[in-house]
Amino acid sequence: MYVMHNSEYPLSCFALFENGPCLIADTNFDVLMVKLKGFFQSAKASKIETRGTRYQYCDFLVKVGTVTMGPSARGISVEVEYGPCVVASDCWSLLLEFLQSFLGSHTPGAPAVFGNRHDAVYGPADTMVQYMELFNKIRKQQQVPVAGIR
Amino acid sequence: MADVINVSVNLEAFSQAISAIQALRSSVSRVFDCLKDGMRNKETLEGREKAFIAHFQDNLHSVNRDLNELERLSNLVGKPSENHPLHNSGLLSLDPVQDKTPLYSQLLQAYKWSNKLQYHAGLASGLLNQQSLKRSANQMGVSAKRRPKAQPTTLVLPPQYVDDVISRIDRMFPEMSIHLSRPNGTSAMLLVTLGKVLKVIVVMRSLFIDRTIVKGYNENVYTEDGKFFLCVKRSFDVLVFALRTDVSVLKQLVICKLDIWSKSNYQVFQKVTDHATTALLHYQLPQMPDVVVRSFMTWLRSYIKLFQAPCQRCGKFLQDGLPPTWRDFRTLEAFHDTCRQ
């Protein structure tokens, strides 16, 4: 289980399982987990975080950050969010065009999150799932720094 | 040159008038001196009386003479410049204390501003009259005798009829749901939900569409003093209640008012609001308002593919960060705002 925080939602805490449900809780969840330390074995893996600047262009939100694991930098993460659209699959082509304008050849394919539910409303849990997958990918490729894009 | 001569004549007459006033003053004071001194000492009483009366008369004559002289001179001096164009307001400019009472400069500014305002209003009315925006059936310039006494019938419709029309349109399109409420008197307020793309608040005046506001699907359309909110927002930070029910259930639960004034947070929907306002002015048919409402809703329905349709002209999705927000009124094709013909 992964516990994640997102500065876009400062009062929430996300608890994720791989391919499993995602819990969105209050920030006190951290403290709760510390109290339950006797029942859970916390994995050895150290903290990964991405930190950077947040840009706004028209209705797009672009967050560019450096992914650091402990003291070492592992890569760059770019997050693009299109505010007005709530259904993920609708605006993929729009997002793709926007990404191509500044990423050029590095534009990724459609994220897996979109494939499952076509008309479901996108939520912050989906963002965290994508981040989790990205961080796992970075963790696996320990030596070579990777540019991960979401 | 004439002004100069005018001024010099006035000045001479002024100085003469001033000396005439001094002469008049001295002759008047001589009269009172003579009265004060009384009769001189002479041999006989008659002699004294005669001398006194003669002296007194002389003094009065000199007063009379001086007064006539003064009147003649005052006529010569004339009125202070009648060719002053500002009349009374010009006299305000003679006030020397400009710091404490800048009346004249403020007066000038107010005058210039009101002139400019009048000019601009004239221009604006000329431009606006070119495009006829009247949507009611009344005609301009009909004489008082022929003007109908009552309001045109399309403006006074029973609310039940309006409800019927709206519910029929609601059933017409499956992806569009219309909810009607009357929180402020008889004018209907519609909340149109188009798929999961957007929400439109339409304020009506009997069957005429008055105003529209377009907001995103996840934005709040109710004012904040309501108790329940329809919250499908992507961010969970502010609102306390997040009822994951669908709109039809909430129709019964909602006890708060539609917010018809605040704009959307997203630029796309602000643009679409402008286009919707253009549309409601474009679709006009005063005699058959239900056809108008139907065509407006058909036009609005084309926005279901707001984020999926590329522009018909340039083929791209984004232009200045906006998707194609314009829908042609006849063909319902998508264009960017800058690409439309």
Side-chain angles (χ1 to χ4, degrees):
Chain A
M1 188 184 82
Y2 302 98
V3 176
M4 303 179 74
H5 296 91
N6 190 345
S7 58
E8 196 76 16
Y9 312 107
L11 298 173
S12 306
C13 184
F14 301 88
L16 297 160
F17 287 95
E18 279 202 50
N19 301 327
C22 171
L23 168 71
I24 303 173
D26 194 49
T27 32
N28 291 330
F29 185 75
D30 275 345
V31 180
L32 186 70
M33 289 313 288
V34 168
K35 292 243 191 306
L36 291 175
K37 216 168 28 175
F39 299 91
F40 283 96
Q41 194 83 341
S42 84
K44 180 197 74 77
S46 55
K47 198 167 87 148
I48 288 192
E49 76 168 339
T50 148
R51 204 174 257 282
T53 29
R54 179 180 185 267
Y55 302 98
Q56 211 159 345
Y57 172 65
C58 201
D59 295 316
F60 289 94
L61 211 60
V62 181
K63 287 146 90 165
V64 182
T66 336
V67 183
T68 48
M69 182 156 153
S72 59
R74 292 310 189 88
I76 301 172
S77 77
V78 177
E79 177 191 338
V80 177
E81 180 182 318
Y82 187 55
C85 185
V86 177
V87 179
S89 45
D90 276 353
C91 65
W92 173 245
S93 19
L94 203 126
L95 266 179
L96 195 65
E97 194 179 306
F98 182 67
L99 286 171
Q100 269 168 354
S101 66
F102 66 95
L103 284 178
S105 56
H106 292 286
T107 318
V113 197
F114 290 1
N116 313 346
R117 316 148 312 143
H118 273 281
D119 271 341
V121 172
Y122 189 89
D126 300 313
T127 317
M128 301 321 286
V129 166
Q130 292 184 59
Y131 265 116
M132 182 190 73
E133 288 169 2
L134 172 68
F135 289 157
N136 282 340
K137 196 158 76 158
I138 289 182
R139 243 193 218 120
K140 284 190 197 121
Q141 300 177 325
Q142 295 230 345
Q143 304 306 323
V144 182
V146 163
I149 295 163
R150 281 284 170 265
Chain B
M1 230 19 206
D3 278 347
V4 174
I5 294 176
N6 228 356
V7 165
S8 61
V9 161
N10 281 347
L11 282 180
E12 269 185 39
F14 255 132
S15 51
Q16 284 173 5
I18 289 173
S19 34
I21 288 176
Q22 288 173 336
L24 180 62
R25 275 194 186 137
S26 52
S27 47
V28 167
S29 46
R30 250 182 279 136
V31 165
F32 286 115
D33 280 341
C34 154
L35 281 176
K36 176 194 73 170
D37 290 338
M39 295 190 276
R40 296 263 174 85
N41 207 356
K42 292 263 196 260
E43 296 85 12
T44 57
L45 181 65
E46 287 150 10
R48 270 186 277 175
E49 284 175 358
K50 270 193 200 155
F52 177 70
I53 287 170
H55 195 210
F56 190 56
Q57 268 180 338
D58 279 340
N59 287 336
L60 283 180
H61 281 316
S62 66
V63 166
N64 209 7
R65 229 184 10 252
D66 289 334
L67 193 59
N68 287 339
E69 179 73 18
L70 184 61
E71 271 184 23
R72 181 190 69 88
L73 283 172
S74 69
N75 281 338
L76 267 183
V77 167
K79 296 209 178 87
S81 41
E82 265 168 345
N83 48 355
H84 203 302
L86 295 175
H87 296 289
N88 288 337
S89 58
L91 295 175
L92 270 181
S93 64
L94 302 176
D95 182 4
V97 187
Q98 280 299 334
D99 302 333
K100 290 191 188 156
T101 51
L103 282 174
Y104 190 59
S105 49
Q106 283 176 348
L107 180 68
L108 279 184
Q109 279 169 14
Y111 186 68
K112 275 185 219 165
W113 190 60
S114 68
N115 263 4
K116 230 187 264 185
L117 187 63
Q118 202 170 19
Y119 175 62
H120 284 299
L123 283 180
S125 78
L127 283 173
L128 284 173
N129 278 339
Q130 281 171 16
Q131 184 103 15
S132 147
L133 288 175
K134 283 192 80 68
R135 292 187 286 153
S136 60
N138 255 345
Q139 287 160 7
M140 288 280 294
V142 176
S143 69
K145 286 183 218 152
R146 281 158 51 196
R147 192 178 302 157
K149 297 265 169 61
Q151 272 183 334
T153 50
T154 45
L155 216 47
V156 185
L157 285 172
Q160 190 54 41
Y161 181 66
V162 176
D163 288 353
D164 284 339
V165 171
I166 298 295
S167 55
R168 246 181 286 142
I169 297 178
D170 186 10
R171 286 192 288 272
M172 244 166 66
F173 303 118
E175 64 266 12
M176 192 160 77
S177 75
I178 307 180
H179 169 61
L180 187 145
S181 62
R182 284 205 165 80
N184 301 329
T186 52
S187 57
M189 291 216 235
L190 313 175
L191 177 62
V192 183
T193 313
L194 191 62
K196 288 201 177 117
V197 180
L198 48 81
K199 283 192 213 155
V200 188
I201 298 174
V202 182
V203 179
M204 313 200 52
R205 194 173 145 236
S206 89
L207 260 186
F208 292 108
I209 301 178
D210 227 15
R211 270 182 81 226
T212 59
I213 298 254
V214 177
K215 288 191 172 179
Y217 187 72
N218 53 350
E219 289 187 87
N220 188 17
V221 285
Y222 296 103
T223 58
E224 290 191 350
D225 36 291
K227 295 209 172 55
F228 292 96
F229 298 96
L230 173 59
C231 164
V232 197
K233 277 173 78 129
R234 293 168 62 220
S235 67
F236 286 59
D237 32 43
V238 180
L239 296 180
V240 179
F241 283 106
L243 295 178
R244 289 167 140 264
T245 58
D246 54 302
V247 189
S248 53
V249 175
L250 268 180
K251 271 186 223 173
Q252 289 108 45
L253 282 182
V254 158
I255 48 177
C256 49
K257 292 173 59 160
L258 277 177
D259 183 8
I260 59 177
W261 299 108
S262 53
K263 291 199 292 195
S264 168
N265 294 329
Y266 300 116
Q267 290 189 22
V268 190
F269 295 123
Q270 288 174 12
K271 244 313 175 276
V272 178
T273 305
D274 292 341
H275 295 328
T277 314
T278 318
L280 71 91
L281 290 172
H282 174 264
Y283 291 116
Q284 285 181 36
L285 206 56
Q287 272 72 29
M288 289 187 286
D290 44 351
V291 175
V292 170
V293 179
R294 210 176 287 255
S295 26
F296 179 75
M297 291 302 174
T298 314
W299 178 84
L300 200 61
R301 180 177 166 257
S302 65
Y303 278 98
I304 188 96
K305 301 254 178 221
L306 175 62
F307 302 117
Q308 295 165 323
C311 171
Q312 294 295 331
R313 196 157 182 222
C314 63
K316 293 204 278 201
F317 281 99
L318 288 175
Q319 181 101 340
D320 300 328
L322 292 170
T325 50
W326 176 260
R327 293 289 179 274
D328 190 68
F329 291 133
R330 282 177 302 114
T331 58
L332 296 184
E333 288 171 348
F335 292 102
H336 284 124
D337 193 30
T338 43
C339 289
R340 62 178 161 124
Q341 288 88 350

